[in-house]
Amino acid sequence: MAASRQNWFDCAYLPARTAEMPNSRSEEIETVVRLLSDGSRTTFQSRYAKCDAIVARHFADGSEFLFALIRAAVEADVHQSNLINDAVSFLDEAHLARLAFLLQGEAKRGRDVDDLLSHIALQAPELFPDGVLATSYDFADWQQHADPRSPPICQHFVFEGGSPSDSPFPAHRNHPTWHLPTIYQPHTVGGIGSATCPICRQKLTHLVTLDDFGDPTISVPRLRIETCTSSLELTYYSHDAAGVPTPIAPFHSAYDFTSEPATRESTVRLAPTPQRWLRQSYGVSNSRQNLFRLGGLPSWVQGPQFPLVPGTNREMKFLLQFDSLAGFFWGSGGMLYVFWDEESRLTCHVPQYT
């Protein structure tokens, strides 16, 4: 802990650049702040689109502009916007540390910067003392672990072509988690499954088949993961020696709905998840970050819900999670979490939604 605290102080007191930002960039920042300050509801979408276009021009040319923009938005009290929150994800480590120090000072002066602090805490908790992390709503799930600063490793499913959403906002399409470097062979997600739901009689939807990823460090069983997308209930599937699933009741409730079969197929590759993105909150990402993950810990929508193997007190192991994108849709928009038990060869699918 002493070492991490020392790193925090070393980073927090990085000297700011003395050279002024070029006039054109200063004018752009003034434009964004002015548009965000406009309270008119009738022109919100067009104003937001203009701001988003300005910010997107600076994603790839260093984070000095983005840091200056966030600071200006905080000073003008217009920082409570997805546009400003998303800009945090594109800061380099040095500017992220400077922003953490700046915001903690603003919080002590009574300014409400909790959303921005939560974004940074998830990406770099080493920049904060334990007391700050303890009060972060989005960091709450991580406090349950023995060492919340050291989460388990995971991999992201990275889609060919980037984000599978049709979001018009560049910050969403260009979020770093949609473009992590991949080094493994391609796999298919989506498509029609092999088994049939015994309740609605629809073919299951194929999520992904876990097999040889080309990396001996990824230890997962060979399983064909299929699910009934018309069920919003916790559901178990048994798997034979080849990994093929068979549905086990219960499946549907009176509140379930019949959805269109998710027949869309996409090509994905696994990418080792960098330290900065090991912790992801559903509330923070809200379909802006890539939450298609293998291993690690779940990004809960409604809070922890670890299932047990039926008839036992044995907790199942978290395997993967899929977001409501790429042809999948859980409830009114949410996540599907898949758990696995080696001894019983059961998977359990847990949907949560807003």
Side-chain angles (χ1 to χ4, degrees):
M1 182 61 69
S4 63
R5 290 287 178 84
Q6 185 61 50
N7 289 338
W8 175 71
F9 281 109
D10 290 344
C11 292
Y13 287 98
L14 286 172
R17 290 188 179 181
T18 56
E20 292 186 359
M21 187 169 292
N23 288 337
S24 60
R25 294 190 180 184
S26 297
E27 291 170 358
E28 286 182 314
I29 290 175
E30 291 175 1
T31 299
V32 172
V33 170
R34 174 176 54 81
L35 292 173
L36 291 177
S37 300
D38 187 341
S40 173
R41 291 175 176 264
T42 57
T43 59
F44 171 77
Q45 289 186 333
S46 61
R47 287 186 286 108
Y48 192 96
K50 289 179 182 178
C51 293
D52 208 41
I54 291 173
V55 174
R57 289 200 289 268
H58 299 276
F59 285 159
D61 60 357
S63 60
E64 184 70 34
F65 173 89
L66 298 176
F67 175 78
L69 172 64
I70 297 170
R71 181 171 57 186
V74 169
E75 291 172 352
D77 203 24
V78 294
H79 56 283
Q80 294 182 333
S81 161
N82 284 343
L83 180 84
I84 301 302
N85 286 330
D86 289 341
V88 173
S89 295
F90 296 88
L91 295 175
D92 61 27
E93 292 183 4
H95 283 101
L96 194 68
R98 288 174 60 186
L99 183 61
F101 177 67
L102 170 71
L103 293 178
Q104 288 179 79
E106 293 294 330
K108 290 178 180 178
R109 285 187 284 273
R111 194 185 296 273
D112 183 3
V113 290
D114 288 350
D115 285 354
L116 287 171
L117 283 171
S118 288
H119 278 60
I120 303 173
L122 287 167
Q123 297 175 38
E126 67 274 8
L127 299 177
F128 299 91
D130 290 344
V132 173
L133 296 180
T135 61
S136 171
Y137 175 81
D138 291 306
F139 204 83
D141 288 346
W142 296 96
Q143 295 289 359
Q144 301 178 22
H145 308 288
D147 186 359
R149 297 176 184 272
S150 301
I153 63 171
C154 71
Q155 286 80 29
H156 272 75
F157 293 102
V158 175
F159 287 77
E160 192 173 73
S163 170
S165 76
D166 57 356
S167 171
F169 301 120
H172 299 190
R173 300 192 305 270
N174 292 301
H175 193 275
T177 51
W178 293 115
H179 304 280
L180 297 173
T182 61
I183 57 175
Y184 307 128
Q185 64 188 34
H187 282 70
T188 298
V189 301
I192 300 175
S194 59
T196 300
C197 173
I199 304 300
C200 67
R201 309 309 302 172
Q202 288 191 40
K203 279 284 190 179
L204 300 183
T205 295
H206 172 252
L207 297 185
V208 65
T209 298
L210 304 178
D211 50 20
D212 182 12
F213 285 103
D215 182 353
T217 66
I218 301 177
S219 178
V220 294
R222 189 189 189 284
L223 295 173
R224 183 175 175 89
I225 308 297
E226 300 180 2
T227 196
C228 178
T229 56
S230 292
S231 174
L232 299 180
E233 293 292 301
L234 180 148
T235 305
Y236 290 90
Y237 298 81
S238 64
H239 295 262
D240 63 19
V244 177
T246 299
I248 302 174
F251 271 93
H252 295 259
S253 74
Y255 303 102
D256 289 348
F257 64 95
T258 301
S259 64
E260 292 295 322
T263 58
R264 175 179 169 183
E265 292 187 357
S266 302
T267 300
V268 301
R269 286 179 169 82
L270 280 183
T273 302
Q275 183 74 19
R276 185 166 175 175
W277 303 111
L278 290 176
R279 307 165 191 82
Q280 288 180 277
S281 161
Y282 180 83
V284 166
S285 76
N286 197 18
S287 298
R288 303 194 298 275
Q289 299 179 17
N290 179 5
L291 295 180
F292 290 83
R293 295 162 48 121
L294 175 70
L297 291 170
S299 304
W300 296 110
V301 177
Q302 300 290 355
Q305 188 181 355
F306 288 91
L308 302 177
V309 176
T312 76
N313 291 321
R314 190 166 68 249
E315 195 172 89
M316 302 184 77
K317 179 182 178 181
F318 175 66
L319 187 60
L320 59 85
Q321 65 183 31
F322 269 38
D323 202 350
S324 285
L325 292 171
F328 304 106
F329 199 70
W330 319 114
S332 55
M335 300 277 287
L336 182 74
Y337 312 92
V338 178
F339 296 81
W340 163 249
D341 180 67
E342 180 74 34
E343 183 177 336
S344 63
R345 294 198 61 80
L346 291 177
T347 56
C348 181
H349 298 192
V350 179
Q352 290 189 355
Y353 47 94
T354 56

